[in-house]
Every structure is written in C-alpha cells, then in structure tokens.
C-alpha cells in the first residue's frame, strides 16, 4: 500500500473513496446532539448541497466510535464514494477511541473495490497529540487492518483488497513541513511491524534459527547492514555455556545473529537490542503441558521485534547506530538435553544451576547480554517473551519494563505512551535476588512462584551490572490467542520511537 500526503479541495478531489469524519456534539443539556462533520466534510457537504448532512440526519450512522456509512455517487463531488466514520463525542476522543475510529475506517475500506482512497479527517484531534502523531496512527491502523498471513493456505483465501493508494489529506491549511518525514517514519515502522508479525506467525518447522539467520541476511543485503552469524562451534569456543545448554536437545543448529545498522558517525555509541529467539519452547525436560503449546512458536517474538525494529530504522535512515543481537535456538527434550540440576558456566564466568529447563529464555539472554558488551553500547534493551507471570501481572495490554537506570525506564515508558505500544515498570530491587540462591552454583535459573517476572529480570540484571540496561517482558503482548490468534508485531513501534527519541531527545 502506497501512502501520500497533500492538500486537497474536497469537492474537486477525484478519488475512489473520500473518507470523512463525523462526530456528535453534545447539547447544552449534555445529550448527544446531531452529528457534525470534519472540516473537509463540511466543505464537501456544501458542494453536495447538504446531501451528506441529510444522510446523517436520517440516522444511519451509529454514534458508536468506528461505525461507518457508505454513500455512493454524491452529486457535486468528484469522489466516487464517500465513507463517513463516526468519532463519537469529540470531548471524549482519547487515543483508544481515535484508534477505534481508524480501525473502523480501515475495516470498511478493506471491503471496497476502489484502488485509492483519501482520508480527510485529520482535523479531528486527540488532545495533547501532534498532527504528526495522527498521521502516524492512520498509517499504522491501515497497514494493521490490511495485514494478511495466508501464504500457507491453499484454499479459501480471502481475496486481496483492492485498495493500493491512500492519501492523507491536509485540510484546511497547507501540509506541515515535517509531515513527509512523519509519513516516511510511519511507513517504515509499519513495514517493520509486518515483518515481525510474519516471522512470529510462521510455524517452528519453517521459522527455525537458520531461517531467522537467513531472513537477517536478506535484511542486511536489502538495507546495507553488516551481519555476522555465530555457529555452535563459535559459541562453544567463546564459552557461552548457558546458551549452548538450551540447544542441546534439538537437532536444529543454534545461531547467534548480530545485525548492525549505521546511520550516524562511526564513533557514536550504538543502541543494542537483544531479542529472545526461541523458535519453539517445549520446556525441554521440564516439559510444558500440551494445551496451547503451539503458541510457543511465538517464543521468538523478541527476536522478530529486533529484526523488525532494525528494518524500520534502516528503512527510514534514522540518524543513529543500532545493533541487534539475537540468540536463536529451540528448547527441546532429547537424549542430549540439559536436565534439572545441571550446572552450566556462562560467558560471564558465573555458574548457573538449571533447576527448570523451561526457564530457558534467561539462559540464552544472559550470554547474549554479556556478548553485547563488546559493542560498547550506549544502552542495551532486551526484548523477550520471558515469563507467564508477566501475563498474569499485566495481561495483554502492557509489556513489563525493568531497568537498572531510571532515566532509561522513563524513556521507554514515554516512547510506549507515544507509540501507544505501552509498557509498565516493575521493580528490580536487590531484595529479590535472594530468591535466586543456589546451594551448588552462583545462582539458580528460577526463583519460585512469587514475583516470577521480577526474579527473571533479576537474573538478567546479574549479567548487565556494567551497562545501562533495560528489559522488556513481552509475554502478554507479542501475540494474541483465540480466534484472533497471531503475532501483533509489538513492541516494534515502541522500540522505533524509543530509538528516534533517544538519538534526538528534542523530537
Ligand atoms: N516462553 C516462556 C514464557 C511464556 C509462557 C510466555 C506463556 C508466554 C506465555 C518461558 O520460557 C517460560 O517457560 N517461562 C516459565 C518460567 C518458569 C519455569 C520459572 C514460565 O513462565 O512458566
Ligand atoms: Mn520456557
Ligand atoms: Zn520460552
């Protein structure tokens, strides 16, 4: 889908579908009053001699936010169709409702046969959000609704939507100078999200560690990134005993992928993103129960989000340096698999008693985090579907964020709020370290039932003492279950916003 931005004259604008915003204005008495139109809508309505307001007055457009009404061949307009979208009461228009309205518009557009459409409601604003923010949200909502993953279906594929070109209309007033840049950033971010979603949705028999490495190599070629892939023998030689211990039960070759994007001068220290890339988590010898185990194909979502974020940053030529470090392997039972009680020596030299082989994410991450030190990072952020406990704590709304630096935590919280890809901070107090004590090694890899997400983060904290580091637990947000089962591409929007804001705090 192609996006453009420009000023339009609503009645003279030739398009397959002119999308207008409608909202209810409250009467003095506080009742929902008549429906009103966005500025471009008022102008189009005048040219159409009131045809649009008459349609509204008949009451066919529900007040429910995101409801739509399609009008054909409105006389006086060059547009073939007019799609009215309800934004509800403007006074109550917050981010969530605005996104509902966008989703409603996108869903309606998906079913139309027109190849191009123009969104002409950008004058309807969420208080406190910039014009650029509205452009970004519109792009993300459309791309989200038009995303498909049907390459593995041979029958009953939904027909491809006809819509290929979308214009974001600035009316009234000229196009803001920063609008083109915003658009470029939003499109690149949407590309990164789609990329991460597809990697997540692919089953583990296709999306293996080798497949992830190949996809990273393709990205490197396409966007001129540097890439290095470490093999098992390299990991052995380096002494990554924790990472190697997780892969022992699997026949799939583990990979440690390092992908580097350089958008700033060589001496600018990079942001390093470390992503958990377990392409399937059976639990290993501490085998998981069968129910919903298929969803453990999504256990590489952290890795997918790192690749997606780098793709986005490279695609928009962001003025910063970023490196992705991805430990990728399968967690399988088998004759060679690690067993509960086994003790491994990590790359850092610290020893770990593996009391539960299902707490494997922290084992691959700890060695990757130590490895990341060699890139002299400005900050390190790891992203992992790390604990079921995080889903219990925060559900599917917010990711958990932990940091050994409050300023870094604040930046991630703010970026998440901005991108509406939110996270929420949990404590990383030393008091929790006690739960990781082991009688036989420097630490255990589990800390018992209480505060499971915090003890997992506390484990990682032992490997990042020298760094400014944060950890995002995306176990509840990286994918959806049930009828809508599928990868969300989160937290790509958060990571991209964070990187852009971190590199240039003023924006
Ligand atoms: N990948 C899982 C975490 C997970 C579970 C994410 C369910 C989303 C939904 C992780 O490797 C894991 O198995 N964690 C264990 C840790 C426990 C053994 C300390 C968990 O959360 O049960
Ligand atoms: Mn596990
Ligand atoms: Zn896992």
């Amino acid at each position: 889908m192609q996006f453009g931005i420009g000023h339009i004259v609503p009645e003279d604008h030739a398009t397959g579908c002119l999308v207008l915003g409608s909202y209810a204005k409250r009467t003095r008495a506080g009742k929902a009053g008549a429906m009103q139109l966005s500025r471009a809508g008022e102008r189009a309505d005048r040219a159409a001699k009131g045809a649009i307001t008459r349609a509204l007055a008949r009451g066919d457009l529900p007040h429910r936010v995101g409801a739509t009404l399609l009008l054909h061949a409105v006389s006086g307009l060059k547009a073939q169709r007019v799609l009215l979208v309800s934004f509800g009461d403007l006074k109550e228009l917050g981010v969530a409702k605005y996104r509902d309205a966008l989703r409603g518009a996108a869903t309606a557009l998906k079913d139309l046969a027109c190849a191009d459409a123009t969104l002409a409601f950008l004058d309807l604003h969420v208080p406190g959000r910039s014009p650029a923010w509205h452009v970004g949200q519109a792009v993300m909502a459309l791309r989200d609704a038009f995303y498909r993953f049907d390459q593995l279906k041979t029958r009953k594929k939904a027909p491809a939507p006809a819509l290929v070109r979308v214009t974001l209309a600035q009316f009234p007033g000229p196009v803001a100078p920063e609008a083109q840049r915003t658009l470029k950033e939003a499109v690149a971010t949407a590309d990164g999200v789609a990329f991460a979603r597809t990697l997540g949705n692919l089953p583990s028999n296709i999306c293996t560690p080798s497949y992830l490495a190949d996809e990273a190599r393709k990205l490197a070629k396409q966007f001129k990134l540097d890439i290095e892939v470490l093999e098992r023998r390299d990991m052995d030689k380096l002494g990554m005993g924790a990472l190697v211990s997780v892969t022992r039960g699997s026949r799939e070759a583990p990979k440690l992928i390092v992908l580097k994007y350089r958008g700033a001068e060589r001496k600018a220290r990079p942001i390093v993103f470390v992503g958990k890339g377990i392409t399937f988590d059976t639990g290993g010898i501490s085998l998981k129960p069968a129910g919903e185990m298929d969803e453990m194909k999504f256990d590489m979502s952290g890795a997918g989000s790192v690749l997606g974020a780098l793709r986005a940053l490279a695609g928009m030529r962001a003025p910063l340096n970023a490196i992705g470090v991805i430990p990728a392997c399968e967690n399988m039972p088998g004759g060679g698999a690690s067993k509960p009680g086994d003790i491994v020596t990590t790359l850092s030299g610290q020893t770990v008693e593996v009391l539960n082989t299902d707490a494997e994410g922290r084992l691959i991450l700890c060695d990757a985090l130590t490895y990341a030190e060699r890139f002299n990072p400005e900050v390190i952020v790891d992203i992992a579907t790390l604990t079921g406990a995080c889903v219990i704590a925060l559900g599917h709304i917010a990711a958990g964020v932990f940091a050994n630096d409050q300023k870094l935590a604040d930046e991630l919280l703010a970026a998440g709020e901005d991108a509406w890809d939110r996270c929420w901070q949990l404590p990383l107090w030393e008091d929790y370290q006690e739960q990781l004590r082991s009688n036989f090694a420097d630490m255990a890899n589990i800390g018992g039932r209480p505060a499971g997400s915090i003890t997992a983060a506390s484990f990682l904290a032992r490997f990042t003492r020298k760094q400014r580091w944060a950890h995002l637990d995306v176990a509840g947000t990286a994918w959806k279950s049930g009828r809508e089962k599928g990868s969300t591409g989160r937290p790509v929007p958060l990571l991209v916003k964070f990187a852009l804001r971190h590199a240039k705090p003023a924006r």
Side-chain angles (χ1 to χ4, degrees):
M1 190 183 291
Q2 295 259 11
F3 288 89
I5 196 160
H7 180 78
I8 62 158
V9 177
E11 66 275 22
D12 291 341
H13 186 65
T15 174
C17 188
L18 183 65
V19 187
L20 301 172
S22 172
Y23 59 96
K25 217 172 195 169
R26 291 212 173 254
T27 59
R28 279 262 173 78
K31 284 205 191 111
M35 300 288 268
Q36 317 251 331
L37 289 164
S38 60
R39 299 282 286 278
E42 283 177 353
R43 168 86 174 248
D45 186 47
R46 240 174 288 137
K49 305 214 162 57
I52 302 174
T53 37
R54 279 199 299 282
L56 284 177
R58 279 183 209 118
D60 289 349
L61 178 63
H63 286 205
R64 174 174 43 83
V65 178
T68 57
L69 174 63
L70 186 67
L71 308 176
H72 278 277
V74 178
S75 72
L77 302 186
K78 292 235 171 80
Q80 293 168 347
R81 308 166 183 78
V82 169
L83 181 70
L84 297 169
V85 184
S86 182
F87 281 75
D89 187 330
L90 270 200
K91 280 218 189 73
E92 287 164 18
L93 188 61
V95 174
K97 290 221 166 119
Y98 190 78
R99 286 169 56 107
D100 287 345
L102 289 174
R103 197 173 310 120
T107 308
L109 285 171
K110 213 162 54 170
D111 293 334
L112 298 184
C114 54
D116 73 301
T118 295
L119 308 187
F121 50 70
L122 286 175
D123 59 305
L124 300 182
H125 272 222
V126 178
R129 304 277 172 170
S130 69
W133 181 88
H134 292 81
V135 168
Q137 288 293 315
V139 171
M140 298 293 281
L142 276 162
R143 286 287 303 273
D144 200 56
F146 279 67
Y147 173 84
R148 291 147 54 97
F149 182 82
D150 58 7
Q151 64 237 56
L152 300 174
K153 286 189 193 262
T154 61
R155 294 180 306 132
K156 285 197 191 159
K157 289 193 192 200
L163 189 67
V164 290
R165 265 206 8 261
V166 175
T167 302
L168 302 169
Q170 298 288 297
F171 182 89
V175 179
E178 76 273 17
Q180 296 296 351
R181 198 196 62 206
T182 301
L183 191 62
K184 193 168 133 200
E185 284 178 8
V187 169
T189 305
D191 287 343
V193 169
F195 186 76
R197 285 178 82 175
T198 296
L199 288 178
N201 288 334
L202 282 167
S204 73
N205 61 328
I206 295 175
C207 185
T208 59
S210 304
Y211 184 91
L212 284 178
D214 288 343
E215 287 298 301
R217 284 193 189 97
K218 279 194 221 156
L219 281 187
K221 201 157 185 197
Q222 189 181 351
F223 293 97
K224 300 200 172 58
L225 313 175
D226 287 335
I227 184 163
E228 203 184 332
V229 178
L230 276 63
E231 308 292 332
R232 184 198 301 260
R233 59 179 176 277
D234 306 313
M235 301 171 195
D236 277 331
K237 212 182 283 167
L238 282 160
M240 297 179 154
L243 170 50
V244 168
S245 80
V246 174
T247 188
R248 279 193 205 290
S250 169
R251 296 195 178 174
E252 288 294 336
K255 305 279 169 179
L256 183 74
I257 305 162
V258 179
L259 194 58
K260 297 181 183 172
Y261 165 65
R262 202 159 74 77
E265 49 186 321
R266 200 172 289 277
K267 68 172 200 286
R269 293 171 72 191
I271 297 172
V272 177
F273 293 126
V274 178
K276 172 178 173 182
I278 294 289
T279 57
F280 198 84
D281 182 9
T282 64
I285 297 298
S286 312
L287 194 64
K288 286 182 181 296
E292 277 113 58
M293 207 210 272
D294 67 292
E295 297 190 6
M296 284 299 120
K297 72 173 182 177
F298 296 116
D299 210 19
M300 40 52 69
S301 297
S305 75
V306 170
L307 293 177
L310 284 180
R311 184 196 162 109
L313 292 168
M316 69 178 75
R317 296 178 184 282
L320 53 90
N321 294 339
I323 299 178
V325 176
I326 294 168
C329 69
E330 274 186 347
N331 186 21
M332 297 285 284
S338 292
K339 304 165 293 293
D342 286 2
I343 294 177
V344 301
T345 303
T346 64
L347 179 58
S348 74
Q350 301 176 88
T351 56
V352 178
E353 185 185 12
V354 181
L355 287 176
N356 189 319
T357 64
D358 198 10
E360 85 296 343
R362 60 199 83 181
L363 294 174
I364 66 167
L365 288 169
C366 71
D367 281 345
L369 287 165
T370 303
Y371 189 73
E373 276 179 23
R374 69 182 55 208
F375 303 117
N376 187 23
E378 215 270 303
V379 293
I380 302 183
V381 180
D382 79 69
I383 305 96
T385 48
L386 202 61
T387 63
C390 192
V391 191
I392 304 302
L394 297 171
H396 306 289
I397 310 296
V401 61
F402 304 81
N404 62 11
D405 178 288
Q406 191 53 41
K407 191 163 160 278
L408 177 57
D410 288 340
E411 284 182 49
L412 287 161
L413 289 165
E417 183 69 28
D418 192 357
W420 211 249
D421 180 6
R422 291 167 296 175
C423 53
W424 192 256
Q425 192 176 6
L426 294 167
L428 198 60
W429 295 320
E430 284 299 316
D431 312 48
Y432 290 102
Q433 291 291 353
E434 167 64 20
Q435 286 177 240
L436 293 173
R437 68 172 296 282
S438 157
N439 281 356
F440 306 108
D442 295 340
M443 69 195 89
N445 76 328
I446 53 171
R449 299 233 326 144
S453 306
I454 303 177
T455 52
S458 300
F459 179 93
L460 299 178
R462 294 181 179 225
F463 298 86
T464 51
R465 298 256 189 235
K466 294 179 226 153
Q467 310 285 330
R468 281 183 73 199
W469 157 79
H471 156 63
L472 289 166
D473 192 333
V474 294
T477 56
W479 74 88
K480 290 182 186 165
S481 308
R483 218 190 129 72
E484 303 256 87
K485 191 191 288 180
S487 170
T488 60
R490 290 178 68 182
V492 170
L494 181 158
L495 296 177
V496 172
K497 261 294 183 296
F498 163 76
L500 291 173
R501 294 166 56 122
H502 186 79
K504 232 195 215 155
R507 52 210 275 161

